[in-house]
Amino acid sequence: MLLATPLRFARGMLPANWHQLSSFFSRSTANTAWRGGIKLVGHKQLSNQLPIRTLPLADQVVAVPLQHGRSLAEPCVRIGQRVLKGEVIGHGGTAIVWAHASTSGTVVAIDACHPADGDQPLPAVHIAADGQERWAPPRFPPHPLTVPALAEFALQMGLVGLGGAGFPTGIKLAGTAHPLDMLLINGAECEPFLTCDDRLMQERAADIVAAAALLAKVYGITQVRIGIEPNKPQAMTALQQALVSTDRRIEVHALPLRYPAGGQPLLVKSLTGRTLAPGRLPAEVGVLVLNVATVYALGRALLHGEPLVSRIVTLSGAVTSPGNIEVPIGLPISTLLAAAQPHGTGDIQVGGPMMGRVLANSAAVVSKTTSGLLARSESLFPPRAATRPCIRCNRCVDVCPMALRPLQLLSAYEQENRALLQQEKLTACIECGACSQVCPSSLPLRDSFRHAKRTIWLGVRA
Amino acid sequence: MKLQPKTVPGIMLAVVIALIPGTLLHAWQFGPVVWLQTAWCVLFALLVEAICLRVRGQSLSHGLGDMSWLLCGCLMSRALPLLVPAWLMLLATVVALGLVKHGSGGLGKNRLNPVMAGLGVVAICFFQFLYPAPNFHSPWSAYLDFSAVLQQQLQIVPPLQLDALSSATPLATELLDAPAPYLSWAGYLAGGVILGLLRVSRLEIPLAMMGSSVLLCMLAGHTLPESLHSLTLGGYLFAAFFIATDPVTSPDCRLGRIFFGVLIGMITELVREFGLYADGLCFAVLAANLLVPQLNQWARYLNPPGRGWQAPS
Ligand code: SF4
Ligand code: SF4
């Protein structure tokens, strides 16, 4: 191409996008801005003033899954055995997440359960609660605490990422050869409706800060940055106040108020200005990223000897009594719904409206990654219009935070053109769904990309 | 941004509404013929669209529900010269919707702008019907009432010619002495800017187009006020804000759209300076439409997907 040389020159000169123009002209500061994203109606006020509460637990059967992702723990209890809260019920060895009884009671079955946010039934230990909540003796980490010991301890305490994907925290903590210099804590909670992290930060800021400080110490990290969307002023204040007494290494930062501010590459960009290229691990740019709820759970484990047996679930949407409930892992969804009293008989959304899914099985139980249950109603969750052909309006291109071209990706997907999909950088898609949200033709962009990734992935592996 | 339309019919209706100020000014100047022509074109567009959907075996209610036919009819009636026979409007609509749009697979699949393609075919094949049309120098159609216009459009009476009219109508002399100022450009400009602000259309296309036209015009030896004035002539602003901005037939990223606008502006200006046709807009848009895939490639090269997220080397 004759024009190649001047064009290549021009490419170097051009800012990647309009949002970056400002930083293009002032190269002195780190570029922490990212383009794209969308403003969403938060609906947070439905539940963000309601303190975390618990539900009475007598006469319940909880089903604690033994499996996380592809790692399956070995059950180590018998049917009829009495277990205490926090007792190990699934043994994982050194590389697999262990499972713990989430309440005290009697083991009644070792059988499949349906996690609220999963496709597949998972093997689980079913425990009939005795309602007494008697704790097993606490189990403290080894001393001195090294990184490998910390990672192994996290696996033994059943810790997984509570933000969404449920990746075993122990494996993340084991880290890589890369030196880490920053711990980033994700308190963005950029999904509408969800307030569980918000309430956690408001009510238990001191625990979070203590856990963060301990983690920083173990890793020899000098910078801890907590990123929060500015629609949670109370959480920010609570954390700021908790910081006063601790060391100066921890900072609270406001993130841009745009979905998906909590997406990993965007969080890293906002908090550090570093670029987390698709397919790379955060450790490769020197950061460790943990969700704020995961940090809290790590703190409970390290400082109080409690394994991960409960999580906070937001009940919201079209319900009579919304709230933020601390529930034992494995509690049936039906119990929570009975407490929330949905108005209609509409579907239940598990997780946020953007990344979550519709509850498929009414017998499902709360898993470690169930962040919220939202009763859908027509006004809060407007039904999607029938799809129409793409009119190439480019709104999806404007909002894609990863600077992709969803319309081209979609046409490559429809042609099943693998080379084109790769050329359009399908792997960079973080599946945030911003593109689907703005598409005037209601095209299932994100869902197609998810499916395309799965088929390409399988195709490559086969 | 609360007003931004969120669905395809919403977008189409927004463009139709944005056309209203220009159309009102147009009708104020040229008389009832504007309304009649709009009605004809919308009616034909509805018919052609319905027939095409039926032939392609698609749902009529869903297909017509996207309102693109309404927009196409309105744009067509603004793009065609005034006082053309009704069958010519039908022909242009058949080319636009039947051949260009449905022939390439329906909404969003066409590479050529349907309205400009329809106009182009009519302009080439039936040149004699188009001129002399009433224009801003002599908006003589303003003095025809509905039935006279209708008779003309249905070709019941022999076509009016400018000379015939000026001798027959006493008003005409006065009219030709003092041409009314041509104003509808202001309406199109206002509507187009509103669409741009609502992010329904992309302002970079008209801006690049006007910029390149003005520049070329000045290079050809005109002064700046003259060059700017030339933008208000003919259908320039209408085409800039309502035709060239059609998302389906314009490039997929900002850089490409700027190239696209520049290209249209240049070709238009060249045709105006050197060409046979009074206005090359239609051909400029069609030529640029054909280059859209190339422009997309260029722009992709300059601004590859995932830009800004590469691993630091
Ligand atoms: S938002 Fe939808 S209609 Fe618009 S370009 Fe993207 S895929 Fe096409
Ligand atoms: S889902 Fe993927 S393609 Fe769509 S906006 Fe998010 S990152 Fe971009």
Side-chain angles (χ1 to χ4, degrees):
Chain A
M1 195 157 103
L2 199 72
L3 276 157
T5 315
L7 282 186
R8 192 164 299 157
F9 177 69
R11 179 159 85 180
M13 302 283 296
L14 278 168
N17 51 63
W18 265 212
H19 299 275
Q20 284 182 12
L21 255 185
S22 53
S23 62
F24 178 69
F25 287 116
S26 59
R27 282 172 186 271
S28 52
T29 52
N31 177 11
T32 59
W34 45 273
R35 54 148 269 161
I38 48 178
K39 292 217 164 33
L40 293 171
V41 184
H43 296 296
K44 304 257 191 197
Q45 76 290 349
L46 288 173
S47 54
N48 65 4
Q49 298 306 324
L50 302 169
I52 300 170
R53 61 191 166 102
T54 54
L55 294 176
L57 200 66
D59 305 330
Q60 293 281 341
V61 176
V62 299
V64 185
L66 291 165
Q67 188 172 359
H68 289 98
R70 273 171 290 153
S71 71
L72 172 63
E74 192 65 33
C76 56
V77 285
R78 287 167 290 101
I79 291 172
Q81 181 179 334
R82 291 195 54 78
V83 289
L84 296 173
K85 186 172 183 176
E87 194 173 326
V88 175
I89 56 172
H91 211 281
T94 53
I96 283 172
V97 185
W98 294 24
H100 305 81
S102 56
T103 184
S104 59
T106 315
V107 175
V108 290
I110 298 177
D111 198 1
C113 76
H114 295 271
D117 47 359
D119 301 312
Q120 307 290 333
L122 300 178
V125 174
H126 297 243
I127 302 165
D130 58 14
Q132 295 173 6
E133 300 279 310
R134 268 181 298 140
W135 275 93
R139 202 164 155 261
F140 288 100
H143 200 81
L145 194 55
T146 59
V147 171
L150 171 68
E152 195 182 341
F153 184 69
L155 284 177
Q156 292 175 357
M157 298 305 261
L159 285 157
V160 301
L162 297 176
F167 189 74
T169 309
I171 295 177
K172 198 184 233 179
L173 290 176
T176 55
H178 300 272
L180 299 176
D181 64 347
M182 269 199 214
L183 167 61
L184 307 183
I185 300 181
N186 187 350
E189 200 166 51
C190 50
E191 282 265 12
F193 291 102
L194 299 187
T195 53
C196 47
D197 290 352
D198 185 3
R199 284 313 302 187
L200 184 77
M201 290 187 280
Q202 287 183 37
E203 296 178 30
R204 304 180 189 173
D207 291 353
I208 296 168
V209 168
L214 179 57
L215 281 174
K217 200 169 126 219
V218 173
Y219 281 91
I221 283 175
T222 50
Q223 286 274 311
V224 181
R225 296 189 175 165
I226 309 179
I228 304 182
E229 269 200 351
N231 59 0
K232 293 178 261 300
Q234 291 164 312
M236 286 182 100
T237 321
L239 281 168
Q240 298 277 17
Q241 283 167 353
L243 291 186
V244 175
S245 51
T246 342
D247 57 322
R248 298 248 166 94
R249 291 180 299 187
I250 309 179
E251 297 164 5
V252 178
H253 288 259
L255 299 173
L257 189 50
R258 269 180 291 149
Y259 179 85
Q264 188 153 279
L266 310 171
L267 185 88
V268 172
K269 190 88 187 167
S270 305
L271 293 180
T272 69
R274 298 176 195 176
T275 301
L276 184 62
R280 298 186 118 207
L281 295 171
E284 291 177 55
V285 292
V287 299
L288 174 66
V289 187
L290 292 170
N291 180 273
V292 66
T294 314
V295 171
Y296 171 78
L298 262 171
R300 293 308 296 180
L302 292 169
L303 300 169
H304 303 268
E306 289 173 16
L308 177 55
V309 292
S310 65
R311 70 154 297 140
I312 301 164
V313 176
T314 300
L315 300 180
S316 189
V319 295
T320 313
S321 57
N324 301 285
I325 320 265
E326 184 157 21
V327 295
I329 306 301
L331 188 77
I333 296 293
S334 51
T335 311
L336 279 173
L337 289 182
Q341 298 164 29
H343 291 321
T345 50
D347 283 334
I348 302 296
Q349 177 86 7
V350 184
M354 298 297 290
M355 301 287 271
R357 55 166 78 203
V358 169
L359 182 67
N361 190 326
S362 56
V365 298
V366 171
S367 75
K368 288 179 184 172
T369 49
T370 308
S371 48
L373 295 177
L374 315 174
R376 298 174 68 114
S377 69
E378 292 230 339
S379 53
L380 293 176
F381 291 76
R384 276 180 89 75
T387 61
R388 297 184 180 279
C390 168
I391 55 165
R392 312 177 73 96
C393 66
N394 275 275
R395 287 188 190 176
C396 49
V397 183
D398 293 345
V399 302
C400 177
M402 301 306 292
L404 304 178
R405 279 183 255 275
L407 78 163
Q408 305 287 3
L409 278 170
L410 184 73
S411 87
Y413 166 73
E414 282 167 353
Q415 299 163 23
E416 299 185 10
N417 186 337
R418 222 171 255 172
L420 200 54
L421 278 171
Q422 250 145 25
Q423 191 186 327
E424 291 286 342
K425 299 259 172 40
L426 173 68
T427 44
C429 171
I430 57 170
E431 300 178 20
C432 64
C435 49
S436 307
Q437 178 78 17
V438 297
C439 178
S441 295
S442 315
L443 288 165
L445 296 164
R446 186 259 308 266
D447 298 348
S448 308
F449 305 156
R450 258 190 195 159
H451 185 242
K453 275 186 179 175
R454 223 172 287 160
T455 49
I456 281 198
W457 190 61
L458 290 177
V460 170
R461 277 167 58 94
Chain B
M1 282 299 118
K2 279 249 152 57
L3 281 174
Q4 186 186 36
K6 303 235 167 6
T7 59
V8 174
I11 290 174
M12 301 290 168
L13 287 176
V15 183
V16 171
I17 291 170
L19 262 175
I20 291 178
T23 308
L24 279 176
L25 286 169
H26 210 56
W28 175 61
Q29 188 163 25
F30 290 100
V33 61
V34 173
W35 298 118
L36 268 172
Q37 184 155 321
T38 310
W40 279 118
C41 284
V42 169
L43 178 71
F44 289 145
L46 175 60
L47 280 178
V48 174
E49 176 87 4
I51 292 172
C52 288
L53 286 170
R54 194 27 78 75
V55 167
R56 296 181 60 218
Q58 297 191 343
S59 149
L60 267 192
S61 54
H62 185 63
L64 292 180
D66 67 19
M67 293 293 159
S68 60
W69 55 271
L70 178 64
L71 179 58
C72 180
C74 291
L75 290 175
M76 183 61 89
S77 76
R78 291 285 72 74
L80 284 172
L82 290 173
L83 225 56
V84 292
W87 62 265
L88 214 62
M89 300 181 211
L90 177 61
L91 179 77
T93 312
V94 169
V95 171
L97 289 178
L99 288 184
V100 175
K101 184 175 146 192
H102 285 284
S104 27
L107 182 66
K109 302 275 192 319
N110 46 302
R111 267 182 67 183
L112 294 179
N113 186 306
V115 175
M116 286 296 111
L119 178 64
V121 167
V122 166
I124 292 174
C125 303
F126 300 96
F127 186 74
Q128 66 276 22
F129 286 101
L130 301 191
Y131 300 100
N135 60 25
F136 68 98
H137 290 304
S138 51
W140 43 269
S141 60
Y143 297 88
L144 299 175
D145 61 9
F146 271 98
S147 68
V149 170
L150 208 56
Q151 283 173 352
Q152 285 291 321
Q153 287 176 332
L154 295 174
Q155 294 191 296
I156 300 171
V157 294
L160 282 174
Q161 290 304 332
L162 195 51
D163 341 330
L165 191 84
S166 48
S167 53
T169 319
L171 279 167
T173 30
E174 178 196 329
L175 172 69
L176 289 179
D177 286 345
Y182 178 65
L183 279 181
S184 32
W185 64 270
Y188 294 131
L189 183 65
V193 169
I194 289 174
L195 282 186
L197 294 180
L198 286 179
R199 299 292 174 100
V200 171
S201 64
R202 309 292 180 142
L203 282 184
E204 54 261 26
I205 297 176
L207 288 180
M209 195 172 147
M210 297 191 293
S212 68
S213 279
V214 167
L215 220 65
L216 260 188
C217 199
M218 286 171 68
L219 281 182
H222 299 274
T223 62
L224 180 64
E226 269 175 7
S227 316
L228 286 176
H229 177 67
S230 78
L231 293 186
T232 65
L233 300 183
Y236 194 97
L237 287 177
F238 165 72
F241 283 97
F242 290 90
I243 296 289
T245 52
D246 171 18
V248 174
T249 53
S250 57
D252 283 340
C253 56
R254 190 174 272 129
L255 215 55
R257 287 193 287 265
I258 292 173
F259 276 126
F260 179 78
V262 168
L263 204 64
I264 301 182
M266 274 168 37
I267 303 179
T268 309
E269 199 47 44
L270 290 178
V271 173
R272 277 189 171 179
E273 286 289 329
F274 306 111
L276 282 178
Y277 283 92
D279 232 343
L281 275 166
C282 155
F283 302 108
V285 171
L286 290 176
N289 283 166
L290 287 176
L291 279 175
V292 164
Q294 280 71 28
L295 290 178
N296 276 341
Q297 294 239 321
W298 264 20
R300 169 149 339 153
Y301 179 78
L302 289 172
N303 211 348
R307 177 104 196 270
W309 292 102
Q310 301 94 336
S313 46

